[in-house]
Amino acid sequence: SLVIGVSGDKLGQSMAFGADMDGDGFNNLIVGLPGASGSKGEIRVYNRTLSATLLALTGTTSSLLGSAVASIPDIDGDGLNDIVAGAPGLSSAGSLYAFGSASGNQLWKKDGTNVFVGAFGQFVHWIPATQQLIVAENDYGTGAAGLYALTAT
């Protein structure tokens, strides 16, 4: 199958394998579309053949939700890995969200520190060995950047 995005939605800027939400024995694909819905951004979870959207979430005004996505261990107790997504356009600092992969419910939100003037959540990576999220905060104006190590809970 082929998924074709709308011009400017930045379909696939970020991708990660997540939980097996449809029970077919294969992990599903989490896809970020930070330019979608007028830069609100979106996260979509597709089945393994890309023929069905299993979950779709939309950010708030200019949040750029989906700039980064990662799968994290189950924190809402439903037995499925959950989703972390960056929203670096939210406020002046940016934010990182955790969502239940089955429900789409927001589980937590972590805001950037604004030490580097924004873009917290532009990049995120889950490291299973240390059970940590590594999150980047970048100031593209000055080139300053910071990395943060966070727990998933």
Side-chain angles (χ1 to χ4, degrees):
S1 292
L2 173 67
V3 176
I4 299 176
V6 176
S7 179
D9 68 6
K10 300 181 181 176
L11 172 73
Q13 176 174 313
S14 60
M15 294 185 284
F17 283 105
D20 176 15
M21 292 172 48
D22 55 2
D24 67 356
F26 295 93
N27 290 353
N28 299 123
L29 184 64
I30 306 165
V31 178
L33 301 88
S37 300
S39 294
K40 289 180 180 180
E42 294 180 12
I43 303 165
R44 295 182 192 159
V45 179
Y46 292 100
N47 69 347
R48 70 182 173 102
T49 61
L50 304 178
S51 60
T53 302
L54 305 174
L55 179 70
L57 302 170
T58 301
T60 58
T61 303
S62 300
S63 69
L64 303 172
L65 182 70
S67 291
V69 295
S71 178
I72 60 172
D74 179 28
I75 58 176
D76 63 1
D78 66 1
L80 298 173
N81 282 3
D82 293 314
I83 299 168
V84 170
L90 195 62
S91 73
S92 62
S95 297
L96 188 70
Y97 289 90
F99 298 101
S101 60
S103 66
N105 292 336
Q106 180 182 321
L107 305 176
W108 53 250
K109 175 185 171 197
K110 298 183 187 291
D111 294 320
T113 63
N114 216 8
V115 170
F116 299 108
V117 192
F120 180 77
Q122 181 70 39
F123 304 100
V124 62
H125 187 74
W126 172 250
I127 301 177
T130 60
Q131 296 289 295
Q132 292 178 312
L133 285 165
I134 304 300
V135 185
E137 182 172 24
N138 299 293
D139 178 353
Y140 293 108
T142 66
L147 292 175
Y148 300 85
L150 307 172
T151 62
T153 54

